[in-house]
Amino acid sequence: MINDRDGRADEARPTEHGTILGRVLACLGAPVGPKAQQQLTVPGYLADASDETRESWVLCYLENRAIEPVNEIVRFREERNDGYLRDLSALIADVSDSDVSVSEKNVILSTAATESLGFV
């Protein structure tokens, strides 16, 4: 079920088996507990994952977090620790084979990265 959150990104919530889905996501490295108290990391399994898996993960992440490109550049804001943002930008840069930068809490994909990942 999709919930319209009035001015915020839509949110999908399972109507059945939500507990099982939550357990599977936790096993895959999804954070558990209050967001403000966590030192998040990019899931460790991505280091040894295939290029296809890494690209799928990045595309899913961007579909859920990034906004539409402005002047062919994708940027999004994350309230996450600096290490997480740097690791995330490095992963996106590796998958897209293009520049990705971090500024304060913003992740900014270059035009080349945006094109490589199919956001244009």
Side-chain angles (χ1 to χ4, degrees), residues 11-50:
E11 181 178 82
R13 290 187 175 218
T15 55
E16 292 183 30
H17 309 295
T19 302
I20 295 169
L21 175 61
R23 289 178 183 156
V24 169
L25 292 173
C27 288
L28 292 173
V32 177
K35 180 169 65 172
Q37 299 173 0
Q38 298 177 15
Q39 279 295 104
L40 297 178
T41 59
V42 172
Y45 64 83
L46 291 171
D48 297 323
S50 68

Side-chain angles (χ1 to χ4, degrees), residues 28-102:
L28 292 173
V32 177
K35 180 169 65 172
Q37 299 173 0
Q38 298 177 15
Q39 279 295 104
L40 297 178
T41 59
V42 172
Y45 64 83
L46 291 171
D48 297 323
S50 68
D51 291 344
E52 182 179 309
T53 298
R54 291 162 48 91
E55 181 177 6
S56 292
W57 190 93
V58 165
L59 290 172
C60 286
Y61 192 94
L62 293 175
E63 285 290 330
N64 285 289
R65 301 301 300 169
I67 59 172
E68 291 296 316
V70 176
N71 297 327
E72 299 183 359
I73 295 175
V74 170
R75 68 182 71 223
F76 56 97
R77 185 167 185 83
E78 291 280 24
E79 295 294 328
R80 308 285 190 243
N81 53 296
D82 188 59
Y84 177 83
L85 294 177
R86 297 208 179 283
D87 289 348
L88 177 61
S89 66
L91 176 62
I92 297 170
D94 187 47
V95 167
S96 67
D97 196 27
S98 304
D99 292 331
V100 177
S101 60
V102 176

